[in-house]
Amino acid sequence: MRLNPFSRVYLTDPAGVWRRILDDPGGAHYAEDLDLWLISRHAHVRRALADAATFANALTLVPVYEVCPAALSVIMQIDAPPTTAAADPPTHPRTRRALRATFANTAERVEAEYGAIVRRRVEQLVSRLAARQGEQVDLVPDFATELPLLVVLDILGVPDADIGRIRSWADGQIALIWGQPDPAEQVRLAQGLLEFWHYCEELVRRRVDSGQQGDDFISRALTYRDDDDSVLTVPEVASLAFNLLVAGHETTAGLLAHALDQALSDPRRWSAIAADPGLVPAFVAETLRFAPAIDGWLRVTTRDVTVGAVTIPAGARCLLLIGAANRDPAAFQDPDRFDPHRPDVGNHLSFGHGPHFCIGAGLARLEAGIAISRLAQTIPGLRLSPEQHRSYKPNVAFRAHRRLLATIDIPASSDEPVARGGATAEVRAG
Ligand code: HEM
C-alpha cells in the first residue's frame, strides 16, 4: 500500500485517498515509503487509541522522516520531560491527573473559567475584521490562527509583550515532526523549538522565584504541585505549558478554518447560522467529523497485535487515520455527505479517544462556537472570494488551510428574509 501524504492528490482530496484505503480488504496496511502501518477503520482506530498498553505514545512526537544530523543535535537539547501526547504509564496517569485538575476540560468548567477570555478575544478580532468592510481578507492569519493563540496565551498567563515571539515559534513543532522540511528548514525549526522550550522553562522559573500566584494555568499547576516532585516536578509544569501552547493553537486554528470554509461555501448556510446560533454546535461537530484538523495520529506497538486480518509486529509505528475513520461507512451512514443533523454527529474520533482524549476539546468547541456565531451575526455579508484555490500545508497529521480568502460585504437586507428561511432548511438538511 502506498500513501504519500505530501502528494497533490492527498493535499487537495484526502477523502478520495481514505476511501481507497477503507475499500482495501485487510484492515491495516504497511506503507513502505513511510515505514508506517496505516489503520483506517473506525472500530480499529478507536480501539488503538483506547489501548495504551498495546499502542504506546513514546514515539508520537518523533519526526516521521530521517532528521538531518545538524537538526538532530539541536533537538537532543530539548530536554522537556514527556507529560502529555508523548507520555506513557506510569508518568501519563499522574501528569494527566494534574492536567485535569488545573485545566478546564468539561463544558461547564470551560464556560465558567475561559468563557470571558474567549468572548473578549472574539469581540476584538471580529470588530477588527468588521472595520475592513469592502476589503479582501485572509481568514487564516486574520482570524483562525490568531484567536486560539491569543486565548491560550491568556489562559497560561503569558505577557502580551511575548505574543510576537510565540507566534513565530508555535507552528514550528508541527512542521518539524509531521511536515516535510528540507535540512536547512529542519535546523531553523529545531532552533525555534529549543528557544520556545527555554522560554517556557524561564516563564515557570520566574513564577517560582517571585512566589506570585495568579489564576492562570502556570500558577494553578504550581499550587497543585505544592513543592512535591512526586506530584509534579517544575520541569513537568514547564513541559505542560509547552505542550498546551502548541496543542491549543494550530489545532483550533484548523477547526476554525474548516468550519468557516464549510459555512461560507454556500451563503445560505452563513445566513442560517447568523439567524440561528443554535445551529452552531452541531455544525462544529460535523466539521470535526468531515474535515478534522488532525486527520492522522501516531502510536507505536508494544507487542504483536492483530488488526482485522493483519498482524502488526511489536515496535511498529502506526498512523491512525482519524480522517478515514470518520468517513468509514461502517460507522456513519452516507459518510461523504456533510450533514450537521446526522444522529451520531459526535461519534467522530477527531479529539482522539481513551486515556489521551484531547484535554482541550471543550475549549476548542467553545472557541469555535462563539467565534462562528459572532462572526456570522456581525458580518452576515462575509463571502468566500470566488478565485479560491484550496490547498493545505504539507503535513502527515495536521490538515491546515494555507489561506481562506473572503470579502467583507455590506449585507443586502432586501433578500435577507428569503435567504434565512431557505438557508435554515438547507443547513438542517445538511
Ligand atoms: C479542534 C481542536 C483540537 C483538535 C482537533 C485536537 C485533537 C487532539 C487529538 C487527536 C489528540 C490525541 C488524543 C489521543 O491520543 O487519543 C489531542 C490531545 C491533546 N490535546 Fe487536543 N485538539 C484540539 C484542541 C486542543 C486545545 C485547545 C488544547 C489545549 C489548549 C489541546 C490540548 C491537548 C493535549 C494537552 C493533548 C494530550 C492529552 C494527553 O495525552 O493526555 N487540544 N488533541
Side-chain angles (χ1 to χ4, degrees):
M1 170 71 66
R2 296 183 68 80
L3 172 71
N4 179 359
F6 308 113
S7 65
R8 217 175 115 79
V9 60
Y10 196 61
L11 292 178
T12 50
D13 177 26
V17 178
W18 295 330
R19 169 81 31 247
R20 180 173 59 80
I21 298 173
L22 283 165
D23 285 348
D24 206 282
H29 308 277
Y30 178 61
E32 308 86 20
D33 31 357
L34 290 172
D35 190 20
L36 294 173
W37 285 81
L38 308 179
I39 301 182
S40 57
R41 302 213 174 130
H42 189 276
H44 296 158
V45 172
R46 192 169 189 273
R47 187 189 121 201
L49 288 167
D51 182 358
T54 309
F55 292 90
N57 281 52
L59 302 184
T60 296
L61 302 183
V62 172
V64 289
Y65 56 88
E66 200 171 326
V67 179
C68 74
L72 194 61
S73 78
V74 180
I75 293 174
M76 298 304 278
Q77 296 170 53
I78 305 173
D79 55 356
T83 45
T84 61
D88 285 308
T91 302
H92 184 252
R94 176 174 56 79
T95 49
R96 177 84 186 187
R97 235 183 344 268
L99 205 47
R100 276 208 314 268
T102 51
F103 191 87
N105 63 325
T106 60
E108 298 72 33
R109 274 182 67 195
V110 168
E111 172 57 51
E113 294 174 32
Y114 306 146
I117 291 176
V118 173
R119 285 188 179 82
R120 184 168 60 85
R121 290 304 194 176
V122 166
E123 286 313 320
Q124 189 185 337
L125 293 178
V126 168
S127 42
R128 205 187 289 169
L129 274 182
R132 296 175 62 185
Q133 221 151 51
E135 282 182 40
Q136 184 175 70
V137 296
D138 182 347
L139 292 171
V140 172
D142 294 341
F143 191 77
T145 52
E146 197 66 355
L147 177 67
L149 182 64
L150 295 175
V151 167
V152 78
L153 294 182
D154 286 348
I155 290 173
L156 265 82
V158 171
D160 271 10
D162 296 343
I163 290 177
R165 288 199 280 169
I166 294 181
R167 189 186 286 117
S168 70
W169 291 327
D171 299 342
Q173 184 175 21
I174 287 161
L176 184 64
I177 298 174
W178 298 283
Q180 199 187 29
D182 62 30
E185 182 68 353
Q186 290 172 27
V187 173
R188 195 187 67 77
L189 293 174
Q191 278 164 344
L193 204 59
L194 179 63
E195 279 176 41
F196 193 10
W197 165 237
H198 287 326
Y199 171 87
C200 292
E201 282 184 299
E202 185 56 27
L203 195 65
V204 172
R205 196 172 307 123
R206 263 190 277 135
R207 202 68 60 83
V208 173
D209 291 348
S210 72
Q212 272 179 2
Q213 293 300 327
D215 193 31
D216 55 84
F217 171 79
I218 293 174
S219 301
R220 287 183 191 187
L222 289 173
T223 305
Y224 175 89
R225 185 182 108 77
D226 199 18
D227 269 339
D228 183 348
D229 282 351
S230 71
V231 174
L232 209 58
T233 65
V234 172
E236 281 173 343
V237 175
S239 165
L240 286 173
F242 186 45
N243 283 275
L244 288 171
L245 283 170
V246 175
H249 172 220
E250 185 88 350
T251 50
T252 311
L255 168 61
L256 286 172
H258 287 293
L260 286 170
D261 196 359
Q262 289 298 333
L264 293 168
S265 61
D266 181 339
R268 291 175 309 162
R269 277 190 183 167
W270 192 240
S271 309
I273 288 171
D276 182 3
L279 297 171
V280 173
F283 192 87
V284 169
E286 179 65 346
T287 302
L288 282 160
R289 183 195 72 84
F290 193 80
I294 294 183
D295 56 25
W297 203 237
L298 292 167
R299 292 284 202 265
V300 59
T301 53
T302 56
R303 60 175 177 85
D304 291 1
V305 56
T306 302
V307 175
V310 175
T311 298
I312 302 177
R317 287 186 94 182
C318 301
L319 181 63
L320 311 182
L321 288 169
I322 290 172
N326 287 353
R327 301 286 191 110
D328 184 349
F332 297 99
Q333 208 179 1
D334 203 358
D336 293 328
R337 180 176 141 92
F338 185 88
D339 176 8
H341 294 278
R342 56 178 67 248
D344 47 5
V345 72
N347 204 17
H348 60 76
L349 296 174
S350 301
F351 288 124
H353 178 69
H356 289 269
F357 180 79
C358 176
I359 203 85
L363 174 60
R365 288 191 189 106
L366 183 80
E367 280 184 60
I370 295 174
I372 304 288
S373 358
R374 285 302 294 146
L375 204 52
Q377 284 164 353
T378 314
I379 317 180
L382 193 64
R383 296 285 178 265
L384 284 186
S385 301
E387 69 278 15
Q388 202 77 233
H389 294 293
R390 274 171 201 78
S391 72
Y392 303 99
K393 295 182 191 166
N395 202 281
V396 173
F398 287 72
R399 187 159 301 274
H401 287 69
R402 285 179 188 273
R403 65 188 73 81
L404 194 60
L405 301 177
T407 50
I408 299 182
D409 290 335
I410 300 161
S413 52
S414 55
D415 62 16
E416 219 174 339
V418 177
R420 282 184 178 183
T424 307
E426 192 274 343
V427 170
R428 291 236 154 86

